[in-house]
Structure formats: C-alpha cells, structure tokens
Amino acid sequence: MWISSSSNINTKWMTLKQSNILALKKGSHELVHEYAKWWREKAAQVDPPLFDKEMVNLFFNTFEDP
C-alpha cells in the first residue's frame, strides 16, 4: 500500500526502543555474522540513537548463556 508523504501519519509506532532490540534473539540455524548484520540494522533504528558501547553491550545480551 502506498501512502502519500503529505498524509498526516503518526510514525511514532515505527521507531524502536532499546527494549525492543533486547527482545531479539539469534535463531538456532542462523549464522552469527548474518544475525549481527540484521541486528545492527535494527539497532540503527532505535530512538534515541545508541552509543557504540551501548550497542555492543546490548548485542551481546541478546545471546543465551551456553
């Protein structure tokens, strides 16, 4: 569906929060580098933006303990 840019749309629901990316988990059949790339794309959408150190800590927290 195409929506005109002149439409009065509330885009607040489209931004991710830090808690949203913490809920992301690597799939058992997913390669780490694929997951890291996908996760980084999602983390870039977080509002307010994350600092690099925050991003790294959050990324490692998405993995389950062995």
Side-chain angles (χ1 to χ4, degrees):
M1 170 167 55
W2 183 81
I3 299 175
S4 165
S5 61
S6 63
S7 298
N8 190 11
I9 301 170
N10 181 0
T11 58
K12 189 173 184 175
W13 65 271
M14 294 167 61
T15 60
L16 292 174
K17 302 284 184 227
Q18 187 172 333
S19 59
N20 296 115
I21 61 169
L22 278 173
L24 302 175
K25 300 291 180 196
K26 179 186 159 301
S28 60
H29 298 295
E30 191 172 21
L31 297 175
V32 173
H33 72 275
E34 291 173 344
Y35 171 68
K37 182 180 177 186
W38 175 80
W39 191 92
R40 175 63 179 94
E41 291 170 359
K42 296 298 179 194
Q45 299 172 19
V46 171
D47 186 35
L50 299 168
F51 293 108
D52 289 341
K53 189 172 184 176
E54 286 179 300
M55 196 175 302
V56 169
N57 288 332
L58 291 172
F59 176 72
F60 284 120
N61 287 334
T62 65
F63 289 91
E64 294 180 12
D65 292 332

